[in-house]
Amino acid sequence: MHTNRRFLLASLALILSIPLAAPAAEPVAVTASFSILGDLVSVVGGPRVTVTTLVGPDQDAHSFEPRPTDAKTLLSTQLLVTNGLGFEPWADKLAKAAGYKGDKVVATTGLKGLTPAPAPGADKHKGHSGHSHGTVDPHAWQDPQNVMVYVRNIAAGLTRVDPAGATIYQTNADAYIKELQALDTWAQAQFAGLTPAQRKVITSHDAFGYLGARYQIQFLAPQGVNTDVEPSAKQVAQLIRQIQREKIRAVFVENMSDPRLMAQLSRDAGVTVGAALYSDALSRAGQPGATYLQMMRHNVSQLAAGMKLN
Ligand SMILES: [Zn+2]
């Protein structure tokens, strides 16, 4: 009897100890298509989520080709977060090919004020881009106001797959939206002293249309919105003439672009290329664009300094 009771108590302790000894609820596994979204998911999810990013820092999401390991990653996650607007056409194909059955968030869902993609190398202010391809510019994260929509969509997606975390996701999203508002106000102040004639920038590919629309800056790019499309020699020559005619000194290359095009442009137009801007990818940790907020502060500072030379 005595032994029996001890055995029973031991068994009971074992049973009771199982939930206590088990780790706290498993974090929600999320796949983000590229690094900027990965950062936003981490901010909204906090320690409740683990994020895997398919296109990492300093990499080009336009020309990304998923590897078999990416299909494996995706299948082990509960939520796939993409930008949409044709930015990562490979993401839906990957999900389909892998047989992914989890939830999805398209971060730009419900976004207002989308702008059409300008034609590569076109001078938008001369009606030269009349033959715009009719597609939408996907780089909507370059306007902090748009990222508020991204963050709300991400919070809603996380809440769908993890309803117990709803309040936490909402609180994190609200706090981050305040930071985005502060970023926007700060950016307005950085550009405030520039004249309309100074507000012109050359970048390698056309990733900054939304930033330009928000802060009244004209961006010119030889490569258009998609890095897959090589600009023609004629388009590059037109851009060089424009740089010389309008005396544009704010010339930048992006962290994920091939720098050779801008080196040629810089040489032929006789201008110096400024520091790298972070357009479609964050920097690695320890570099100036390791989070969305850092990347935007870096870009805005560089752009404002560059345009002062115009
Ligand atoms: Zn891009």
Side-chain angles (χ1 to χ4, degrees), residues 60-62 87 137-139 141 205-207 224-227 254 256 279-280:
D60 185 351
H62 293 288
F87 181 62
D137 179 352
H139 306 88
W141 62 85
H205 97 291
D206 215 337
V225 289
N226 199 322
T227 56
E254 291 118 83
M256 33 55 77
S279 59
D280 294 20

Side-chain angles (χ1 to χ4, degrees), residues 33-34 54-55 61-64 66 87-95:
S33 58
F34 72 115
L54 296 177
V55 185
H62 293 288
S63 58
F64 180 72
F87 181 62
E88 339 79 326
W90 46 265
D92 278 338
K93 286 183 210 154
L94 172 67

